[in-house]
């Protein structure tokens, strides 16, 4: 090779390297990384679904059918929890109420016997939803999901997992079996749910279910139809614990330019919070979720810690974390619909949070009180010049959420564009 030829090739290689590096730089500038943080059951995965619905609703259609077994699982779990709570009440005999008559006990017992074939399917369904991995734990039985969407929807199948086809078939079979059993049991489920004893214990909080259980039991007739396909509301109401960090990517176009949004939806239990740290370094924004309806609840993983205290402690750590210093910071004070109904039902905040004192137990005072605590934590421990954006949210209210999401997304974009010097 002549000297000239060698120089020409070397120059071409340099040029390619420069182009590639410019391409990578541009891709990085177009990439926006948003972390959804907060304790378990704060609504992170639900927010991720609302983002998907708003910016990439077609992708939700693709995976719609794969939510069927998850909806079934939520129903089976709710039924198990109802019977577990009834057992507890029966053994402790602590209750004055409808269960004290023999007739009611027999009615509920015969419903349980009739529902046994359905209840027996919970573990199989749960273990298949989590790709063969299941962790039982806590009152609610915590099950993980690992790419479960791919189990029923072959378009999303993970080619790398050689066990997938076998799992897909098995999950399909289990789903059919549950659907059939559910179809046969639907009137018994209705009878159980509408039974005055069950309604009495729920009203008096002797039976405490997950937030979404009553939604699914109310809609049982529709869900038990053979041609059932989950609606957007069904998908939003589903409760499935996240394990680890799940990345969701979709494009967002703003002022004619397309940006790659990467949403990181994390598992919120205490044991999983260390897994968040490696993602902090280059996060564009943090959306921190705090369910302020949880003032009368305690952590499942640490029953001595009040859930609002845990949220505040966690937020203090996040807003003072050096790695997150440059991240845009948004707090969503979530589940205000549940907060309202708890306050309407006469549940007193001061009973659980003594510092609330003699303040009025109404929505305005309570929500303002919690908001001021988050703002104060940020003022005391956060970085001085960083703004904090706070919104109240009811995450299942799609209409209200769409305007909050576009508002939050715009704020994040503006900050990103300013930081990255993009025109
Ligand atoms: N009523 C009501 N329910 C909500 C709201 N936000 C979330 N939920 C429900 O609360 C449950 C928990 O929400 P998730 O989004 O799974 O919670 P998460 O923060 O992802 O929890 P982990 O994955 O365990 O960390 C789901 O059943 C949601 O439908 C809300 O504002 N109001
Ligand atoms: Mg989640």
């Amino acid at each position: 090779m002549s000297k000239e030829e060698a120089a020409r090739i070397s120059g071409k290689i340099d040029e390619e390297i420069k182009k590639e590096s410019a391409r990578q730089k541009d891709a990085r500038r177009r990439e926006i990384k948003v972390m959804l943080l907060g304790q378990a059951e704060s609504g992170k995965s639900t927010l991720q679904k609302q983002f998907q619905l708003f910016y990439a609703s077609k992708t939700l259609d693709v995976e719609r059918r794969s939510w069927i077994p998850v909806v079934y699982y939520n129903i089976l779990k709710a039924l198990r929890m109802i019977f577990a709570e009834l057992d507890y009440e029966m053994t402790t005999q602590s209750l004055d109420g409808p269960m004290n008559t023999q007739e009611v006990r027999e009615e509920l017992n015969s419903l349980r016997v009739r529902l046994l074939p359905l209840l027996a399917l919970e573990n199989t369904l749960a273990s298949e939803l989590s790709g063969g991995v299941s962790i039982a734990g806590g009152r609610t039985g915590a099950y993980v999901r690992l790419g479960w969407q791919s189990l029923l929807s072959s378009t999303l199948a993970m080619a790398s997992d050689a066990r997938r086809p076998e799992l897909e078939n098995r999950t399909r079979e289990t789903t059919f079996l549950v659907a059939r059993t559910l179809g046969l049991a639907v009137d018994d489920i209705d009878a159980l749910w509408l039974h005055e004893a069950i309604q009495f214990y729920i009203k008096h909080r002797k039976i405490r279910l997950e937030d979404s259980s009553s939604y699914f039991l109310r809609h049982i007739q529709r869900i038990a139809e053979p041609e059932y396909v989950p609606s957007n509301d069904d998908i939003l109401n589903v409760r499935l614990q996240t394990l680890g960090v799940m990345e969701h990517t979709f494009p967002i176009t703003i002022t004619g330019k397309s940006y790659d949004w990467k949403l990181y939806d994390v598992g919120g239990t205490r044991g999983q919070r260390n897994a968040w740290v490696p993602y902090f370094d280059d996060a564009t924004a943090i959306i921190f979720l705090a369910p302020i309806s949880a003032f009368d609840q305690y952590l499942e993983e640490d029953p001595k810690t009040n859930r609002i205290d845990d949220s505040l402690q966690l937020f203090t750590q996040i807003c003072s974390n050096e790695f997150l210093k440059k991240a845009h910071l948004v707090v969503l004070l979530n589940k205000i619909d549940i907060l309202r109904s708890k306050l309407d039902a006469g549940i007193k905040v001061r009973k659980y949070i003594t510092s609330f004192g003699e303040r009025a137990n109404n929505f305005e005072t309570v929500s303002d009180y919690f908001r001021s605590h988050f703002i104060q934590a940020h003022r005391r421990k956060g970085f001085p010049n960083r703004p904090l954006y706070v919104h109240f949210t009811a995450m299942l209210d799609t209409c209200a959420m769409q305007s909050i999401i576009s508002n939050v997304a715009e704020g994040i974009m503006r900050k990103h564009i300013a930081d990255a010097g993009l025109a």
Side-chain angles (χ1 to χ4, degrees), residues 45 240 242 265:
S45 301
L240 199 60
T242 308
D265 174 21

Side-chain angles (χ1 to χ4, degrees), residues 135-383:
I135 310 173
R139 187 176 82 102
T140 54
Y143 292 93
V144 302
R145 65 169 177 184
L146 287 174
W148 60 268
Q149 281 101 332
S150 64
L151 294 175
L152 277 194
S153 167
S154 51
T155 43
L156 297 169
M158 289 180 192
S160 59
D161 189 341
R163 289 182 317 136
R164 284 281 142 192
E166 185 202 330
L167 266 176
E168 267 181 61
N169 282 340
R170 259 203 353 234
T171 308
R172 250 193 218 110
E173 279 166 24
T174 309
T175 306
F176 283 137
L177 182 60
V178 176
R180 241 192 359 251
T181 320
L182 192 67
L184 295 172
V186 63
D187 291 334
D188 290 330
I189 299 175
D190 237 357
L192 178 76
W193 177 242
L194 297 173
H195 198 288
E196 58 174 338
I198 302 298
Q199 289 299 322
F200 175 91
Y201 295 132
I202 285 176
K203 185 163 171 230
H204 291 85
R205 296 153 52 78
K206 294 290 180 185
I207 292 182
R208 286 194 186 209
L209 300 174
E210 290 187 323
D211 294 337
S212 56
S213 300
S214 66
Y215 170 87
F216 288 115
L217 293 172
R218 263 199 326 273
H219 289 90
I220 193 71
Q221 292 287 352
R222 174 175 58 85
I223 294 169
E225 289 285 324
E227 299 305 317
Y228 168 68
V229 178
S231 65
N232 288 348
D233 279 342
D234 295 349
I235 296 173
L236 289 170
N237 269 278
V238 149
R239 166 69 184 139
L240 199 60
Q241 193 185 351
T242 308
L243 181 78
V245 179
M246 311 277 289
E247 183 183 305
H248 300 261
T249 307
F250 43 82
I252 294 187
T253 303
I254 287 207
T255 56
K257 288 205 174 86
S258 176
Y259 295 87
D260 279 332
W261 269 65
K262 288 188 191 300
L263 280 187
Y264 294 92
D265 174 21
V266 305
T269 50
R270 280 193 169 169
Q272 297 196 68
R273 294 178 190 170
N274 277 344
W276 307 353
V277 181
Y279 296 82
F280 283 175
D281 217 4
D282 53 357
T284 317
I286 302 297
I287 304 181
F288 186 91
L289 287 97
I292 53 172
S293 59
F295 65 86
D296 61 341
Q297 290 171 292
Y298 297 85
L299 288 184
E300 204 170 295
E301 60 268 34
D302 175 13
K304 284 201 201 88
T305 303
N306 177 285
R307 287 190 53 187
I308 299 257
D309 284 343
D310 175 69
S311 264
L312 266 167
Q313 274 172 31
L314 184 57
F315 177 66
T316 307
Q317 286 167 14
I318 296 296
C319 76
S320 59
N321 189 304
E322 277 289 332
F323 289 114
L324 294 171
K325 198 174 177 174
K326 292 202 180 119
H328 182 87
L329 194 54
V330 179
V331 169
L332 302 185
L333 300 174
N334 191 32
K335 301 201 179 183
I336 56 167
D337 54 324
I338 302 179
L339 175 65
R340 268 185 214 279
S341 49
K342 281 186 178 175
L343 298 175
D344 286 349
I347 301 170
K348 299 274 183 262
V349 175
R350 69 160 182 271
K351 188 172 159 201
Y352 301 92
I353 301 195
T354 42
S355 62
F356 187 72
E358 293 305 313
R359 290 173 177 83
N361 204 65
N362 60 39
F363 179 76
E364 278 63 36
T365 314
V366 172
S367 56
D368 203 53
Y369 179 77
F370 290 142
R371 180 174 52 186
S372 67
H373 272 64
F374 281 87
I375 292 175
Q376 234 173 59
H378 177 251
R379 210 171 279 144
R380 285 198 191 136
K381 302 280 177 165
F383 298 101

